[in-house]
Amino acid sequence: MSGAGGTGGGAGPGMLRRLLRAFEEAAPGEGLAQIADRLGLGRAEAADMAGYWVRKGRLRREEIGAVDCSGCFFASRGCTTCPDGSAAVPRPSLVALTPVRQNPKGTA
């Protein structure tokens, strides 16, 4: 069980802030799975918490690769459409979560 104020495990306000800070301080290539493990969270719980920060505009969710790509030669070159007109076969894409840097007040 989580402690009062979300200081233990679980999705309290303190853990939400810890997750955001972990993304802000993450090493290059460190992903949600590693951050969840480091914070002692389940991956589904960490994903739900990250979704909260995406909705609040503090994390950016970016899909890298096309979700509906057929996996042809052109797809590996960054194309997002199927040039041969064949039906696209769904395949997973890489999802990146990156912190949105907040500008200090009074700066452009």
Side-chain angles (χ1 to χ4, degrees):
M1 289 193 173
S2 67
T7 56
M15 185 54 77
L16 278 168
R17 285 188 290 276
R18 286 182 61 202
L19 181 86
L20 179 61
R21 190 173 317 115
F23 272 102
E24 293 170 343
E25 298 171 352
E30 186 176 23
L32 181 64
Q34 293 87 3
I35 289 172
D37 290 345
R38 184 163 33 99
L39 295 176
L41 294 169
R43 292 181 184 174
E45 183 179 20
D48 288 345
M49 294 168 67
Y52 169 84
W53 289 118
V54 169
R55 290 188 302 278
K56 290 293 190 178
R58 299 293 302 272
L59 290 178
R60 182 179 322 121
R61 183 182 191 276
E62 179 180 7
E63 289 188 12
I64 302 170
V67 176
D68 294 324
C69 178
S70 65
C72 69
F73 170 80
F74 297 102
S76 66
R77 304 288 185 243
C79 178
T80 58
T81 61
C82 294
D84 62 359
S86 64
V89 177
R91 69 175 190 159
S93 62
L94 177 65
V95 175
L97 294 170
T98 55
V100 175
R101 303 293 178 204
Q102 301 293 313
N103 290 333
K105 293 184 189 271
T107 61

